[in-house]
């Protein structure tokens, strides 16, 4: 086990192991998405208040969860890279940013499209929506900062510091619906006690949440492999790999 | 199951399907971006290595 992690720290082995995982992750993710969509779009009943519009939830809520989850992973990986100078952690942090930005964008846009028929407006400047928008700007800031500096290691360090500072936004987003009055509904799944949601709605929601987690894992490994190749371009194993391709 | 009712989404078709369409585009773009970057990088590195072989 220890040897496995040690090998994972070396770029060459990471590239190989991640490459072996990618097709399996893609297959598992694809199966879960299809199953989740079937359960969510066909099996789950119509909501008694929101009609069929609530089916946007099956992408909106997992996207919003992922936007927070990926940010925490990115900041943690950035911190590990800063403290222990672990190159692979830097790579994971930087590869996470565009995926997190994508999910944040999806959470915002699908929330907006859901808000129009339910709230009567595309957007309100309330705590939940505003803090989620700030999250998008944090992701974009991390990406911009990383690409603005030529030296990759300095760039990764600067981006990691920004990511770590931005972590204060995460609890604000999570608790915003409880701390402030808002149009956004409160949590129905993570609150204590039984979730106040029909099981036939809860199952596809959780399946989609797992599918999105796998999707993140898949794409972050794909991105990290490219980033590793680029950083190790002068290493012998990369030269040999280029010769063979 | 009634296919027409499925696409109608109880009158919310525009909202539901546009959400799913946007999600599909964003997720597919996330898959394609690293594939394209990898191809481009490998081509670039191959060019560099050929250049180096010609003038060591």
């Amino acid at each position: 086990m220890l040897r496995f992690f040690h090998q994972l720290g070396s770029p060459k082995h990471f590239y190989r192991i991640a490459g072996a995982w990618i097709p399996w992750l893609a297959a598992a993710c694809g199966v879960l998405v299809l199953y989740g969509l079937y359960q969510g779009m066909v099996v789950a009943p119509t909501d008694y208040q929101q009609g069929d519009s609530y089916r946007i939830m099956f992408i909106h809520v997992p996207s919003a969860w992922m936007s927070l989850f990926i940010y925490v992973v990115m900041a943690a990986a950035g911190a590990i890279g800063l403290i222990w100078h672990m190159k692979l952690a830097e790579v994971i942090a930087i590869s996470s940013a565009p995926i997190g930005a994508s999910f944040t964008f999806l959470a915002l846009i699908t929330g907006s499209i859901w808000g129009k028929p339910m709230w009567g407006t595309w957007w309100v400047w309330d705590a939940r929506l505003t803090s989620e928008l700030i999250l998008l700007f944090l992701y974009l800031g991390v990406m911009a900062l990383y690409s603005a500096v030529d030296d990759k290691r300095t760039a990764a360090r600067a981006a990691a510091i920004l990511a770590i500072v931005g972590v204060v936004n995460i609890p604000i987003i999570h608790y915003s619906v409880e701390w402030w009055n808002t149009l956004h509904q409160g949590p129905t799944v993570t609150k204590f006690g039984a979730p106040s949601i029909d099981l036939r709605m809860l199952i596809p929601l959780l399946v989609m949440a797992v599918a999105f987690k796998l999707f993140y894992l898949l794409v972050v490994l794909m991105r990290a492999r490219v980033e590793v190749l680029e950083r190790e371009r002068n290493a012998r194993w990369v030269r040999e790999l280029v010769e063979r391709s | 199951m009634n296919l027409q009712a499925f696409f109608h989404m109880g009158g919310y078709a525009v909202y539901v399907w546009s959400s799913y369409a946007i999600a599909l585009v964003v997720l597919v773009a996330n898959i394609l971006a690293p594939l394209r970057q990898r191809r481009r990088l490998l081509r670039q590195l191959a060019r560099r290595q050929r250049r180096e072989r010609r003038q060591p």
Side-chain angles (χ1 to χ4, degrees), chain A residues 200-221:
Chain A
R200 283 169 299 171
M201 298 177 182
L202 182 62
I203 287 171
L205 181 61
L206 296 181
V207 169
M208 290 301 278
V210 175
F212 277 23
K213 286 241 158 61
L214 289 182
F215 181 87
Y216 162 63
L217 200 58
L218 167 69
V219 178
V220 83
L221 289 183

Side-chain angles (χ1 to χ4, degrees), chain A residues 15 55 102 233 239 243, chain B residues 20 30 38 48-49 53:
Chain A
Y15 187 86
R55 293 183 201 274
S102 298
R233 54 170 64 206
R239 288 177 166 275
E243 289 299 326
Chain B
Y20 278 84
N30 265 280
R38 181 166 182 275
R48 191 189 64 166
Q49 268 162 245
R53 250 202 315 270

Side-chain angles (χ1 to χ4, degrees), chain A residues 15 37 41-42 50 52-53 55-56 58-59 102 105-106 109 113 117-118 215 218-219 222-223 226 229-230 233-234 239 242-243, chain B residues 1 6 9-10 12 15-20 22-23 26-27 30-31 33-35 37-38 41-42 44-46 48-49 52-53:
Chain A
Y15 187 86
L37 284 181
M41 304 306 270
V42 179
Q50 303 200 357
D52 281 317
S53 76
R55 293 183 201 274
I56 294 173
F58 299 124
I59 39 177
S102 298
F105 170 76
L106 274 185
I109 198 94
I113 293 171
M118 288 303 114
F215 181 87
L218 167 69
V219 178
M222 288 170 75
R223 283 191 170 277
V226 180
L229 270 191
E230 198 164 359
R233 54 170 64 206
N234 294 321
R239 288 177 166 275
V242 171
E243 289 299 326
Chain B
M1 197 198 64
F6 175 70
M9 277 291 151
Y12 294 110
Y15 302 106
V16 173
W17 294 120
S18 62
S19 295
Y20 278 84
I22 293 168
V26 170
L27 296 185
N30 265 280
I31 296 281
L35 288 176
Q37 280 165 8
R38 181 166 182 275
L41 180 66
L42 284 177
Q44 185 194 339
L45 293 182
R48 191 189 64 166
Q49 268 162 245
E52 281 171 359
R53 250 202 315 270

Side-chain angles (χ1 to χ4, degrees), chain A residues 172-190:
Chain A
I172 295 178
I173 296 175
H174 183 74
Y175 291 109
S176 56
V177 285
E178 289 166 23
W179 290 346
W180 290 284
N181 256 326
T182 166
L183 277 178
H184 198 286
Q185 66 182 72
T188 41
V189 176
T190 54

Side-chain angles (χ1 to χ4, degrees), chain A residues 9 59 65 77 82 89 141 157 194-195 214:
Chain A
I59 39 177
W65 284 345
L82 272 182
R157 228 161 287 157
L214 289 182

